[in-house]
Amino acid sequence: MDFTKSAPNLHTLPVEILCYLFSFLRASSILSCTSTCRYLRKVLDDSSALQYVIELEAQKMVEVTAPGAMTSPAECLEILRSQMCSWRAFKPTIVDHFLQPGGEVSMSFGHLYTWDDHPQIAQIRMLDSGPSESQLYRRWDADSYPIPKDTPFRVHSVCMDPSQDLFAFVVLEPNHMAEISCRIYLETLSTSEPHPLAASEILTSFKPHISANCHFDQTKIKLKIWGDRIVLLNICDEYSACPARMQIWNWQEKQDFKCVYREQEPYGKMDDCCIVNQDHLIVSCRMTSRLPCKLNIFSFSDLGKPPVHVAECVLPFQPEGTFLRHSPFVTISPDIRCSMAPQDARFYPNAKNQLIALNVDGPPSLVLIIDTDKLLTACQSGIHTKGQSRVLPWKEWGPNCSRCIVDPVPNSQYVLRLEVAGDRAVHATPNDDGTSYSLRTYDFNKYRMSRAAASEDFCGCIITEPSTVKHQQLDEQIITNLPYMVVMDEERIETASNLIDVTFDDENILIIKSSEQDENEFVIDVAKPSSMAARGK
């Protein structure tokens, strides 16, 4: 045997093979391997494909492209870094302006929709069609839906997911005097046909979810979509004895049309809910007898079994009401991918890594921005009895998992206008002149914060020190210390009297105002970070 030849090692492999092998690793493993010697470091420095893998994971984003996309890793890397720089500079430019009927407002996957309950009309608009092509994408009217004339029919909530071409709406109709049945209709957003991925065109509640003694006017219904999950939350008002109930379906799998979860509110007065990390449910609840508000955490990884109550996370106040804001869950269907241009590459927050914003009614109004990764870790750590949920006092989870945000100048309506998407938040803050607002962006991504700290042109602030907020219901201050960076736009929005809300995704910021001519109409300004606006022209 010839021992004069050296054994094979990584240095003897072609660069193309090395890059191919490294592409199967997580970003942290790629960085560990390439930090062992100069040769492997040079392989990383010369490979835009490996740099793109690291950048995508570090920013906690997912790529959305058409089948057989022509966009190279180098081009995707440039787009992703350009978006990061645009948000870091944060100089929004208005690129479109239009009127939209009023009602509930939501935004997802480059689409805006409003639902007006009184005329029972949904309006859907595609935002990225360009200023001259900003035409109504779809107008859905409940009165025109083909239902028998003798059937009582009223839509109580609508929801859409453009990434799956899914439009869903909830109908309550009396079955007989003792109960009310509920039906969720699933159809395509583009054609109003039954959705091809749905196991059934209609999801049905076989048992009454609302007492027959509870009037429709006392009932608030919320319908939400997260990927293959649909959640229906029924909430009665403060004066009704009817408990809130929640039901969850996997709308793409046939399960004899039975909901996988039904909760009769033993944990407090249910306000809102959201799904995080694909298999955990967070429910905000207000307790009776002046007890603190709580976040109840449930796990439902096995849809064949009842959800497991993991923990109760105690909050340091007793608000009049709460609601949750969170990122849309982007699940791109094959038909949507095929409709994309070959050179088109989009990036959306990874659903496994997201913030939620717990809005707390005032005065004063405040928002807790919560890192759900840290929250779930806190719920699962420590010693607790098997089979029993944990009760976490605020000081055991709150300060390290959240950051409390308030308006620098309280507004008269006690409503804090803040939205979250992925690791970012956008906040419309009133100025001390009483006539204008300014936009701020918060970023809680550690990688983007480190890149900003190393940038010479970064004009924002990186906050790592704890902040304290005084609430009138508390004897002590709320202390939170989740790190973030903040940048404020120097331009002011002269619309203090009629600003309603702000919402955004990674490419668009919507400034929603009431119309001075018609109280039932919204004025929508569409803004983009400056370099994105320039690229889109």
Side-chain angles (χ1 to χ4, degrees), residues 233-445:
L233 181 61
N234 306 309
I235 306 173
C236 295
D237 65 18
E238 299 288 341
Y239 306 102
S240 172
C242 181
R245 306 259 183 113
M246 183 162 30
Q247 300 164 76
I248 304 175
W249 290 264
N250 184 327
W251 63 277
Q252 296 181 7
E253 294 183 4
K254 188 170 183 178
Q255 301 172 357
D256 297 327
F257 312 123
K258 293 180 181 178
C259 54
V260 298
Y261 173 43
R262 181 168 302 198
E263 183 52 61
Q264 296 192 10
E265 205 181 16
Y267 306 108
K269 192 68 177 176
M270 210 178 287
D271 274 337
D272 206 350
C273 69
C274 69
I275 291 177
V276 299
N277 205 25
Q278 297 183 280
D279 58 1
H280 282 78
L281 178 72
I282 298 180
V283 181
S284 62
C285 300
R286 287 172 290 125
M287 309 305 289
T288 56
S289 305
R290 302 294 293 173
L291 294 174
C293 178
K294 295 181 180 180
L295 294 179
N296 284 288
I297 316 297
F298 296 88
S299 171
F300 60 96
S301 54
D302 186 351
L303 294 180
K305 298 179 181 179
V308 177
H309 189 209
V310 178
E312 294 181 10
C313 299
V314 181
L315 292 158
F317 35 66
Q318 307 91 16
E320 295 295 327
T322 62
F323 66 93
L324 292 166
R325 304 186 83 161
H326 47 82
S327 299
F329 189 104
V330 177
T331 305
I332 311 301
S333 67
D335 289 343
I336 295 297
R337 287 185 182 273
C338 291
S339 66
M340 297 175 62
Q343 71 277 9
D344 193 12
R346 300 182 184 181
F347 302 94
Y348 292 92
N350 191 328
K352 295 183 179 180
N353 308 103
Q354 65 173 335
L355 302 171
I356 59 173
L358 178 69
N359 291 61
V360 180
D361 291 349
S365 295
L366 58 87
V367 170
L368 280 179
I369 298 180
I370 302 171
D371 185 320
T372 56
D373 277 349
K374 290 180 177 291
L375 175 62
L376 295 180
T377 300
C379 292
Q380 296 165 357
S381 63
I383 301 175
H384 62 283
T385 305
K386 185 177 181 180
Q388 295 183 4
S389 60
R390 299 190 65 198
V391 178
L392 295 178
W394 164 256
K395 292 184 178 180
E396 288 189 19
W397 74 273
N400 292 328
C401 299
S402 67
R403 181 67 74 161
C404 189
I405 304 293
V406 296
D407 281 335
V409 179
N411 63 77
S412 59
Q413 297 181 350
Y414 303 115
V415 176
L416 196 132
R417 300 169 176 89
L418 181 145
E419 179 68 283
V420 294
D423 283 334
R424 293 188 177 102
V426 171
H427 183 192
T429 62
N431 295 313
D432 52 11
D433 59 13
T435 62
S436 65
Y437 277 76
S438 294
L439 291 180
R440 300 185 183 193
T441 178
Y442 307 96
D443 197 329
F444 292 80
N445 182 280

Side-chain angles (χ1 to χ4, degrees), residues 205-225:
S205 294
F206 289 109
K207 295 182 180 180
H209 62 286
I210 300 175
S211 168
N213 297 324
C214 183
H215 193 269
F216 284 151
D217 293 340
Q218 297 176 304
T219 302
K220 185 176 182 180
I221 295 179
K222 294 183 179 181
L223 184 67
K224 300 187 177 186
I225 302 171

